[in-house]
Every structure is written in structure tokens, then in C-alpha cells.
Amino acid sequence: MLSNLHYHWLYVWIPLVGSFVWFGTLWALLITWLASGRPKYVSQEGKIAYISDVGASFLKPLFIVGCVVTGVSFFLSLVVERWLRHDGRLVANMRRRERVLSSLAILGSFIGGCGLILLSIFDTKNYTNLHRLFLLIFIVGVGLSAIFTVLEFRWISKDFIEVRKLKAAYIAKGIIACILILLAIAFAVLLFEVPDAGAVLEWTIAFGFTFYLLTFFWDLRMSKGVSRGELSQQRLLAMQRRGQGITAMRETNQAGAGSPPHGHHTHPNGTAANGYERNAGGPNGYAQRHM
């Protein structure tokens, strides 16, 4: 039976595979276009080919496979993360608000993933209007999913400001999501006004999406070494009543209320080696609120 330290590898590969396949697909399309002497495709308007222009060529099967794997892995990454929070292997959602945001993020990822798959099937050469519709659905779905995910992480981090890894995760997601959303808005404007600039932005956004997918690897990896139910809502509420921090609770669970287990040393600045901070925020480890 797998230990808690290795059990997380059963699902952290999902965003890794999605990122690798998406990044590889984009490079294959771009290199093929460049190596072919930058040909102008039938559906191409400017001098620079769009991803969909190259994807509508003889590389369409590769484009479809890449989009399917990416769309499915994006959706599954959010589903698995929600399951881990429900299972108590990631910091649980403490309110209905966070659970609603998580569900909306999953719905957005499903819509975005479906849009990505369908835009690859209905190529821009043969189904121009449908392709652009599904491109819009993909962008909106991913954008909404990113917004809801960042908001969910923000509220969880507000409750548990001692969780340094969680705060880093939502900040990274927020920065990447904001950049991609702003670029997507600019892309929507330039798509019809300045085709070449729009093409450059499309390639940039697509490669940038790889980094957003990779943030879910960081999220899922935070379950490493955490037992089922260890970070459940019930335990966290009990911790709050006892005035106990998350780090102390984890050490108690692992060491049987004795001395801290091997590998959970505390640095001089009060940060434990597992990435949690001791005695941050209020006396119970929660963020202090001003009434």
C-alpha cells in the first residue's frame, strides 16, 4: 500500500501531462510552420499564422489530440483538488461560499475544456464561425474558472494566513490569470483590426496557459504526506476551539502528541520545514478580523 508521501503521485501527474502535451503541441505547430517556410494558409489573413490556421492543416489530428488531453486534464485537475479538500488532504473549505466558488471554477473549466476540444474539431478553414464561437467559449470558460479559483484560494488563505504555500498558490494564479485575461481582451480587439499582432498575442496567450496549468501541480502536491481527514473541516474547527495552529495539529497527529516528528523542524524565523508558519495571525492560527 502506498504511503501518504507517495500517494499524491496518483493524481499530481494530471496537470503535468496536460501542460507537457499542450506545450509540445504548440511547439510542434509553430516549428512546422516555420520549417515549412512560413506558408500562408487558406484561412490565414495576415503574414503570421494563427494557431488555428496551422491546426487546420495536415496537423489537425495532432491538434485535436493535444486539445483533448489539455481540456480533460484541466477539468480533472480542479475536480481532484475539490475532492482532496472534501477528503481532508488539502485545507478544507470552511464556508458554503468557498464550496460554491470551487464548484463554479469546475464548471468554468468544463465549459472551457469543451470549447477547446470543439474548436480543434471545427477548424477555422471549414467552420470559421463555429470555430470562433468555440474559441470565445474556451476563453470565457477558462477566464471564469481562473477568477473563481483565485477567489476561492483568497478566502481560504484569509482564514489560514499561516499556510504560506496556499498563499503563494493563489498569488501565482492571480498574477498569471490577470496577465492572460488582459492579453485575451487585447487579442479580441486586434483579431479583426491588426491580424498579425493578434496572431502574436494568440501564441503568447497559448504558451502562457501552460504556466497556469502547472500551478495545479503545486496545489495537488500540497497533499503530500497528509493523511485522509487530517485537514477536514471538523478537525480545523476543533483546532480553532483549542487555539491550535495547523502545524501543531499536524505534528500532534503524526507524533502522537509527543515531540515533533522527524523532518518537521522549525527554522529560526518560526517557519516549519513543511512550509507552514507557526503562530501567524490571531492566537488560534486564523486571520484576525476587525469588527
Side-chain angles (χ1 to χ4, degrees), residues 75-102:
F75 171 69
L76 288 180
S77 295
L78 275 85
V79 170
V80 170
E81 183 175 341
R82 178 72 189 92
W83 167 67
L84 289 174
R85 295 201 187 284
H86 177 75
D87 204 41
R89 299 196 64 219
L90 288 176
V91 177
N93 298 127
M94 301 301 291
R95 303 178 185 82
R96 180 181 298 177
R97 172 179 55 206
E98 288 130 34
R99 290 190 289 271
V100 170
L101 288 171
S102 176

Side-chain angles (χ1 to χ4, degrees), residues 33-256:
W33 178 65
L34 293 174
S36 302
R38 302 182 181 184
K40 186 168 184 177
Y41 298 98
V42 176
S43 57
Q44 184 178 335
E45 296 180 3
K47 296 181 180 179
I48 302 176
Y50 282 75
I51 297 172
S52 53
D53 293 324
V54 187
S57 66
F58 67 94
L59 292 176
K60 183 174 180 177
L62 172 66
F63 187 45
I64 292 176
V65 172
C67 289
V68 169
V69 173
T70 304
V72 172
S73 64
F74 177 46
F75 171 69
L76 288 180
S77 295
L78 275 85
V79 170
V80 170
E81 183 175 341
R82 178 72 189 92
W83 167 67
L84 289 174
R85 295 201 187 284
H86 177 75
D87 204 41
R89 299 196 64 219
L90 288 176
V91 177
N93 298 127
M94 301 301 291
R95 303 178 185 82
R96 180 181 298 177
R97 172 179 55 206
E98 288 130 34
R99 290 190 289 271
V100 170
L101 288 171
S102 176
S103 299
L104 290 174
I106 293 174
L107 178 61
S109 70
F110 178 77
I111 294 173
C114 289
L116 179 62
I117 295 171
L118 290 173
L119 71 83
S120 66
I121 297 173
F122 295 94
D123 61 80
T124 187
K125 182 172 67 175
N126 300 306
Y127 311 94
T128 305
N129 292 332
L130 278 177
H131 178 82
R132 289 180 176 176
L133 173 63
F134 292 131
L135 175 61
L136 176 63
I137 291 174
F138 166 63
I139 293 174
V140 172
V142 172
L144 290 175
S145 177
I147 292 171
F148 291 134
T149 299
V150 171
L151 289 175
E152 178 201 0
F153 272 56
R154 173 58 183 138
W155 282 112
I156 297 175
S157 178
K158 195 171 182 179
D159 279 337
F160 302 100
I161 61 174
E162 65 174 6
V163 187
R164 188 178 60 180
K165 289 183 179 180
L166 189 62
K167 186 175 182 179
Y170 100 78
I171 290 176
K173 274 186 172 59
I175 293 174
I176 296 174
C178 284
I179 293 174
L180 292 181
I181 290 173
L182 290 175
L183 289 177
I185 294 173
F187 166 73
V189 175
L190 295 175
L191 176 63
F192 301 101
E193 300 296 331
V194 189
D196 286 340
V200 173
L201 276 182
E202 185 188 48
W203 285 100
T204 303
I205 294 169
F207 277 111
F209 183 58
T210 305
F211 297 101
Y212 184 72
L213 284 175
L214 285 173
T215 63
F216 290 98
F217 167 75
W218 174 265
D219 300 341
L220 300 182
R221 195 175 182 276
M222 283 193 281
S223 66
K224 179 180 179 180
V226 182
S227 302
R228 181 179 183 182
E230 190 173 336
L231 297 175
S232 65
Q233 183 182 23
Q234 292 78 9
R235 287 201 175 191
L236 293 177
L237 289 173
M239 174 199 73
Q240 182 186 24
R241 289 192 294 269
R242 293 194 301 266
Q244 184 182 22
I246 292 179
T247 304
M249 180 188 70
R250 293 207 59 209
E251 291 178 348
T252 299
N253 292 337
Q254 295 174 11

